[in-house]
Every structure is written in C-alpha cells, then in structure tokens.
Amino acid sequence: MKVTIKLVGPFRDGRFKENVREYPSAVSVLEVVDELRIPRPLLGIVLINDIHARIEDELHDGDTLCLLPLLDGG
Amino acid sequence: MKCFTSDPASEPASVLYARCTVDLGSGKTRYEDVPCRNLEDVLGGFGRSFQILAERDIRDAYCDANPLIVNTGLLTGSSAMTGLRTYFSGYSPIKESRKGLPAAIWSTGSGNFGAKFKWTGLDELIFENRSPEPVYALIRESVDGPVVELKPAGHLVGLSTHAKMMALQNEYGSNAHFAAIGQAGEQWENVYMGAVALSTDNQLKSGEDKMRFAGRGGMGSLMGYKNLLALVAQSSDKIKPLTAEVKKVNINVVKGGGSARLQPISRGGGGGTWAAYDVMQVFNAVPVNNFRPQGNDLPEKLFRENVEPQFVIKSEACFRCGITCHNNVHEKRGDGSAGRFLAKFDYEPLNLLGTNLGIHDAAQAASLIHLSDNYGMDSISLGVTVSYVLSYNERHPEQPLLNGARFGEYAGIRELVEQAGTGNLPEIGHGSKRLSESTGETSYAYHVKGLELPAYQPETNPGYAWAIAGGHMSMGTYGLLTREGKSDMDSWVEGITRTKLQIVGFDMIGLCKFFDITKGICTQMVVDCIKSEFDMDVTAEDLAAAVRRAFLRGLALELRQGYEKSEYTLPAEVWERPNQNIKLPNITSPEFIAELQKRVWEIFEPELEGLLPEIGQKGR
Ligand code: SF4
C-alpha cells in the first residue's frame, strides 16, 4: 500500500521532506519510525491525515503520516 | 542551608536557610538563619518568596515596602545538571489586576550567577526600600560567612546589561558572576518591562554579549526603582564531587529523552527551542503579525534550515550543562568561520521580535533581539507591545500610533525598540494592557492578566488564564492541544488543575525546565538528587504536594491583589475573529471558556482557603 510520509524539522536532515512510500498493509507508525531511523525520544507528535494519532496506530492505503519532533516550551 | 533532619517534609523547621536583608535606604544589613515553614521554603525559589510577598500589603510596585527578593533553589549550585537558577521576586510593575493592584511575580534565568551566589553561603537576599544613589551589591564569601556590601555604581549608570557586566568583571576578575539591568531598568518610570541579565561563562570568557535573562514581570524595573544596578556574586566554586546517583541522573537528563529536543542537531537532538517554529507551522500556529497566522509559509523564512546557510549557528551552554540549548547566531565570514556574534535565537524572542512583527529577515530579527537584550528588556513583553502598535496602525492608517510603523517596516520598528529601551516611549514601556486601555481597543492586546503572552497562540492554550507568572512557563498546557491533541473539556480541566501546573516546581528547586520538562520535578531523578546532595528523604508525592500548594498560593495571591474571575480569560479577538487558518480544533469559543472557568474554579477554589497569611503576619 502507498503512504505519504511528511517529516518536520530535524527529521528531514538526511531524509526527505515528503515522500510517497510503499509499505505492507497494516504497518504501524512505530514500524515506519524505526524504518526511517527517527530517534524515538525525539518524536513528539504523530498526525495521520492531520489528526493526532498514537505511535501504535496502523496505517492504511492512501494515508498521510506526518512526524513531528517534540514541542516543549521555549 | 543548614539541614538538621533527613525528613524536611515532616520537619521543615529543622532546615534553616541563610538570609541577608539589606536596607537600601540606610545601607544596613541583617544576617539570619531562617527556619523553613514548610517544604516549599526548603525547595526555595518562588515557593519561598511568594510566602514573604504574601505577608505584605502592596498597592503600588514602586513603593518602598515592595521588596526585591533574590534567591536560589535547593539544587542551585549542586552537581545536578541545570542547577543554575536564580529567582527574582517582587510585586510587578507591569502585571496588574484590572483594579490596578500589582501582582506578585517571579522571574528566573540560568547563567552562572545563581551558583556563585549560592556558593557565597547565601540562600536569599532581600532588598528593602531604595537607595538614594545608584549602587550595586557585592555578595562575597568570607571566613565568617556570606557578606553583602553596597558599592557606588555611578560608573555603571547608562551602560547596557553587557557593558555593566564587563565593567564589573574588570574589577572582580574571574571568580565572580553578575546580574545586571540595562538602560531600560534604569528608566523604570517609563519602562515596566525591565529584565535582569545573568552572566554566562561563555560571555565572560569571550567578551560577547551572550547573557541569559530573568525577563518576565519587570523585575529589572523594580531593581532600577531601587537604584540597584547590578549584583556581583564572588566566590570560589564549591560544587560537590559527582556521586554515582547524580551522575546517573545527569546522564539520563542528557541522553534519556527529556531534553532531546533541546540538544544540538549535531548530537542528534532537535536544535533548541527554535525548533518549535517547524512544529507550530504544521498547524499554521506560528504567531504572525500580532498573533494572526495567515496560513502561508512566511514563518518558514526564519526556520533554522533557511537561516543556517547565511550564518554560523553555535550550539552553546551554561556552565557545565550538557543540554546545550543556546543557539547563538554569528555572522559568517568568507571562509565559513564565525564572525561577529549577532543574537541568541531562542523561540520566544525570535518569533516575537521577528515573525510576529512581520520581520522575516534573520539579520533584522537578530538586531532587534540584540537591542532588547542589551537594553535589558523582557523580549516577550516588548515584542507583544510593539506588535499591538503595528496592529493598531494597520487598522488606523490615517491616525496611527507613535511613529506610524507597520508590520515588516524594520526601520520604524527598530526606532520603537530603541526609544522604548531608552525610556523615551512609555506607551510601549508600560506594556500592552495600559496602551490598549488608552486607545480603547483592548481585544487584540495579547496579554493575559496584564502580562504579555509568549509565542504560542492563545487559540491553542486556554490554560494561559491560570498561569501565575509568565504565560506558558507557569502553566504547562501550551502543548496539550498541539502536542497531545487534547480538545475535550475533561483533559483541559485535568491539565490545568492537576498535571500541568506542576511545571512551576522547576521555579522552586533551582533546576532548568529542560531538566525534564514533560515530567516535572516530582520524579525519582529529583528525589535521588536531593538524597545525594543533602541526605534528605523526600518522596515524589511530597514534592508534588509542595508544588501544588505553592501554585495555589500564587493563585490566592492574585485574587488578593484584586483579580476578578472575569480576568481569567484570553484576548477577546480569539473568539471575536476566530482564525480559520489555524489547523487545530477550536477550544476557545466563549462557551468552552465559560465551562472551563466554571469547572476549574470548582476545583481550585476550595483549596485556596487558608493558604495566605494575614497581611502583616508571618506565614506558617
Ligand atoms: S538547559 Fe539550557 S538554559 Fe538550562 S542550564 Fe542548560 S544550557 Fe542553560
């Protein structure tokens, strides 16, 4: 199945900004995060189709997954 | 600090802290060891200072009875990472209730002044009254304990924060650190938003103006009113050898994830608070043109990736801190090396003196931040008050305010900052609440309870209403919608009344929030540090209860200073002109706010009873 992945901030370094990628069906967010070698402690927000989601959630064909770093004060 | 118990929660009076009271009017000093009243006193910071402030009836911040309290937290100067905080507390010149009474406030910063102060042997320094002449205070160690002396400061008058520190460094050499106000604080009558700058090792070694700030609430202006231009803390370093327990904690702080986003990108971190730009922009929630995000990509111009090619960004840190959260921006020379230091790019000043003023050029934003830091102003209050002026001028092109500057007009904005910083523009120096009341257009003045909002859209954080000091750092709900996706009433009531108020614990204990911003201080890590440093047994539950009492005391103190419940709200523009560009659920409708107010007060109100001493009485 095809999933559009959007990366934000430092996650783009050495990766990409937006990419449509092929995954087996019912792949989880966590599996995508690990596949992209995004450090889990840095992962702050997961959006699936612009809605907040959890790292355990499964993705479906045509979904857009956006991965954002932590947001913690400033 | 003298500890005669291992159980400070049950026996607080067996812990005594060292206080010096200085009468600036007479120059007399008094030293005493004060028994703690409760665990809040033991922890320190605002947990202690607010109990002192609560004993006084202060109706005008600029009166002799309003003290300036300088103190530290239990872990300031300890071997725990980020244990560098200094706290400045008093009744605020800028934050006031609608009735016109000043609110109690604290502000805090890192740098190395706090540790040096603690190492002199002092835990608290209270300045009473005001000096007839400009003075600075020298706090030094001696064989008989800490000594505080007042010194003439005529040679410091009119100097910037940095220049004052450099002048004092010439006199006191490498064993001293400094806290200083700039021209803004000296012009306290016309500037209520003066900040206190705190020196860093990096600054003193390089000569570059890389200070940290206790910015919020105008404590620099209160210092100016008292004719107290600077503090010098001179002592040898007394850091204890690192124990295995604290070492483990420190490694966890740096590597365990709590500070991940603050670490430099080169170390696999998120690159400091600046990275909030990238996150907020996904939701179109980066403040633009006085908190009106436009749904376009303008904020991206100040993204790190777009600034980095033209400048050298150094990741630097306070003394011994492995988090290294400072992003110091330098000019880039032809050979790619770092040239002149321009400014620090933390999220708040960058946004509020950049994108939120319509300034999208990094060099221009840097120069405004640099000016604000050197005049010694709270960049948040300054930026938000200037953005109010620009917004007014956009609405009234025929009869604009002041010099008529508009969003994005760098020269005009710079002039406003210069005039305000030198005390020549009280319209800005007095903050957005007073200015908007004078124009009669209050709905788009982005303050809550008289203190300007930081760079998180109020549409994302109704919790601002219950923040007891600086906006987001005294109520940790600013990420509840954006980060956690919570838009239901129960989550917001729970966040405000229980979990997210715990953020203020950092402003008691002496640690930087980045020690573990998501979990707060009520953790095994902090318990282990207290045990290791002081051989005290405190539980995470004890800590949580003390932090909650301290927070509630702050709330009770607001109410005593005349705040009405209707003031626990957001700028009206939020619901009068809902911003459709922000891509997050709407949790700031009048109905949502009304229900939230009702439910939050139902929980808080019964707990406020008996928290404050009678005026003139000592608290228990
Ligand atoms: S986290 Fe940042 S501000 Fe806090 S002590 Fe470390 S370097 Fe300084």
Side-chain angles (χ1 to χ4, degrees):
Chain A
M1 66 175 191
K2 282 190 169 25
V3 177
T4 303
I5 312 287
K6 290 184 181 175
L7 301 179
V8 173
F11 294 166
R12 291 177 185 169
D13 285 0
R15 298 186 190 87
F16 53 87
K17 193 170 172 181
E18 185 171 334
N19 198 350
V20 180
R21 295 167 84 89
E22 198 68 47
Y23 288 103
S25 64
V27 70
S28 72
V29 174
L30 185 60
E31 287 169 294
V32 173
V33 167
D34 286 348
E35 184 244 343
L36 294 171
R37 295 174 186 270
I38 287 173
R40 285 195 212 170
L42 260 189
L43 183 65
I45 305 172
V46 174
L47 301 175
I48 301 177
N49 304 328
D50 288 338
I51 310 269
H52 284 78
R54 294 167 310 153
I55 197 158
E56 311 83 43
D57 287 350
E58 286 179 3
L59 294 160
H60 301 102
D61 190 35
D63 277 350
T64 297
L65 171 67
C66 184
L67 300 173
L68 295 82
L70 278 167
L71 170 75
D72 274 331
Chain B
M1 208 106 185
K2 293 178 181 152
C3 310
F4 302 104
T5 178
S6 60
D7 183 5
S10 308
E11 299 171 336
S14 299
V15 180
L16 294 94
Y17 63 91
R19 173 197 285 169
C20 175
T21 307
V22 178
D23 181 343
L24 288 165
S26 67
K28 288 198 177 120
T29 50
R30 188 175 77 240
Y31 300 89
E32 57 197 318
D33 286 327
V34 185
C36 292
R37 290 164 281 205
N38 41 38
L39 190 55
E40 298 90 290
D41 263 358
V42 178
L43 295 177
F46 95 96
R48 191 190 300 146
S49 65
F50 266 38
Q51 299 191 69
I52 299 165
L53 294 177
E55 292 163 1
R56 306 194 182 199
D57 180 20
I58 304 294
R59 292 169 177 271
D60 180 357
Y62 294 146
C63 75
D64 285 359
N66 185 16
L68 174 70
I69 304 171
V70 184
N71 68 11
T72 52
L74 189 61
L75 292 175
T76 303
S78 72
S79 54
M81 188 154 292
T82 80
L84 298 166
R85 302 299 260 184
T86 318
Y87 305 98
F88 295 82
S89 310
Y91 282 89
S92 170
I94 189 160
K95 183 183 171 189
E96 63 167 11
S97 62
R98 218 179 273 142
K99 284 194 178 136
L101 296 175
I105 197 92
W106 79 88
S107 61
T108 177
S110 295
N112 204 6
F113 175 83
K116 284 283 185 190
F117 177 96
K118 186 77 161 276
W119 294 333
T120 65
L122 211 56
D123 298 299
E124 184 167 277
L125 180 51
I126 303 182
F127 291 101
E128 302 280 8
N129 302 315
R130 63 190 300 246
S131 168
E133 301 294 335
V135 290
Y136 69 90
L138 169 65
I139 307 130
R140 61 176 174 83
E141 61 186 338
S142 81
V143 284
D144 300 318
V147 176
V148 181
E149 297 167 80
L150 297 179
K151 306 267 188 182
H155 61 303
L156 301 178
V157 173
L159 298 182
S160 69
T161 49
H162 177 64
K164 281 190 179 77
M165 291 174 177
M166 290 293 109
L168 290 166
Q169 191 192 18
N170 274 340
E171 289 177 55
Y172 291 98
S174 60
N175 244 355
H177 266 269
F178 313 100
I181 60 171
Q183 297 95 331
E186 289 178 32
Q187 300 296 325
W188 51 273
E189 283 168 295
N190 288 339
V191 186
Y192 295 171
M193 53 180 74
V196 186
L198 298 156
S199 60
T200 65
D201 284 62
N202 194 354
Q203 173 196 9
L204 299 184
K205 283 194 188 110
S206 67
E208 294 166 329
D209 41 0
K210 294 175 171 171
M211 305 77 80
R212 304 304 290 174
F213 286 88
R216 310 259 39 209
M219 291 298 93
S221 300
L222 181 58
M223 254 176 94
Y225 164 76
K226 289 182 177 290
N227 242 335
L228 177 65
L229 305 194
L231 309 173
V232 179
Q234 191 179 38
S235 72
S236 55
D237 287 5
K238 295 188 184 59
I239 199 144
K240 282 189 184 168
L242 201 58
T243 63
E245 292 76 28
V246 178
K247 189 174 178 191
K248 202 169 133 205
V249 168
N250 288 350
I251 290 171
N252 201 18
V253 168
V254 178
K255 300 224 155 90
S259 66
R261 187 175 67 79
L262 290 315
Q263 303 274 348
I265 290 179
S266 58
R267 283 194 223 145
T273 61
W274 188 355
Y277 253 90
D278 303 67
V279 177
M280 305 303 284
Q281 175 64 3
V282 171
F283 305 101
N284 286 336
V286 176
V288 180
N289 291 11
N290 198 37
F291 294 90
R292 297 299 293 178
Q294 299 163 354
N296 56 26
D297 57 8
L298 271 176
E300 295 183 19
K301 291 184 189 290
L302 289 181
F303 274 18
R304 186 188 181 111
E305 67 192 47
N306 297 326
V307 172
E308 206 149 22
Q310 303 143 53
F311 300 91
V312 173
I313 300 162
K314 291 191 185 177
S315 295
E316 294 176 322
C318 302
F319 176 63
R320 291 187 307 111
C321 182
I323 295 179
T324 318
C325 77
H326 313 172
N327 285 302
N328 288 324
V329 176
H330 291 248
E331 284 175 347
K332 193 183 257 182
R333 295 202 185 99
D335 62 359
S337 64
R340 189 169 61 95
F341 169 63
L342 298 175
K344 63 175 193 287
F345 271 15
D346 294 338
Y347 176 59
E348 310 290 346
L350 180 60
N351 176 265
L352 297 172
L353 291 170
T355 312
N356 200 39
L357 301 181
I359 299 285
H360 307 291
D361 176 285
Q364 292 179 351
S367 88
L368 297 177
I369 295 167
H370 187 259
L371 282 174
S372 173
D373 285 356
N374 276 276
Y375 289 135
M377 302 185 90
D378 175 20
S379 56
I380 297 179
S381 285
L382 173 64
V384 174
T385 309
V386 172
S387 70
Y388 175 82
V389 172
L390 306 183
S391 192
Y392 183 96
N393 291 350
E394 188 175 63
R395 291 156 205 247
H396 302 280
E398 307 306 322
Q399 283 187 302
L401 284 174
L402 306 177
N403 67 357
R406 304 283 294 269
F407 288 115
E409 287 179 6
Y410 173 68
I413 292 169
R414 187 183 165 100
E415 186 188 25
L416 293 178
V417 170
E418 286 171 342
Q419 293 287 310
T422 49
N424 293 307
L425 219 48
E427 294 88 340
I428 288 177
H430 290 175
S432 61
K433 175 178 180 285
R434 292 167 182 83
L435 181 57
S436 65
E437 285 169 356
S438 75
T439 64
E441 298 189 12
T442 55
S443 65
Y444 57 94
Y446 279 80
H447 69 84
V448 166
K449 296 184 284 188
L451 198 58
E452 286 71 19
L453 292 183
Y456 294 91
Q457 285 292 137
E459 288 89 342
T460 68
N461 184 19
Y464 277 140
W466 287 274
I468 55 170
H472 66 317
M473 291 316 232
S474 59
M475 174 49 77
T477 47
Y478 56 89
L480 195 52
L481 178 68
T482 315
R483 188 180 66 219
E484 299 177 39
K486 303 288 188 203
S487 56
D488 62 290
M489 181 63 64
D490 287 349
S491 297
W492 275 87
V493 173
E494 164 82 359
I496 291 166
T497 60
R498 212 175 64 78
T499 50
K500 305 296 183 185
L501 63 80
Q502 288 284 332
I503 195 170
V504 298
F506 287 109
D507 289 348
M508 301 163 74
I509 200 162
L511 298 175
C512 195
K513 290 181 171 77
F514 303 148
F515 180 88
D516 195 357
I517 198 163
T518 44
K519 298 204 186 87
I521 69 160
C522 307
T523 60
Q524 194 58 40
M525 291 211 296
V526 172
V527 168
D528 289 347
C529 287
I530 294 174
K531 176 73 181 167
S532 174
E533 290 279 329
F534 302 98
D535 199 22
M536 288 185 196
D537 296 304
V538 187
T539 65
E541 291 72 35
D542 293 334
L543 292 171
V547 173
R548 184 175 183 81
R549 282 193 303 271
F551 177 89
L552 290 170
R553 200 173 280 121
L555 209 51
L557 202 40
E558 279 187 344
L559 296 174
R560 196 159 82 185
Q561 291 304 102
Y563 280 97
E564 289 168 6
K565 290 200 186 138
S566 59
E567 292 175 78
Y568 290 75
T569 187
L570 299 173
E573 185 173 59
V574 166
W575 53 82
E576 286 177 359
R577 286 205 306 147
N579 189 329
Q580 309 296 349
N581 297 318
I582 298 175
K583 293 197 290 182
L584 284 161
N586 181 352
I587 55 165
T588 48
S589 66
E591 296 75 28
F592 191 97
I593 298 282
E595 176 69 7
L596 190 63
Q597 286 174 327
K598 180 172 154 291
R599 289 193 47 192
V600 166
W601 284 119
E602 275 170 9
I603 293 169
F604 278 153
E605 216 158 22
E607 290 185 64
L608 299 179
E609 198 70 16
L611 274 176
L612 297 184
E614 293 294 316
I615 302 277
Q617 302 291 310
K618 294 262 176 241
R620 279 176 291 119

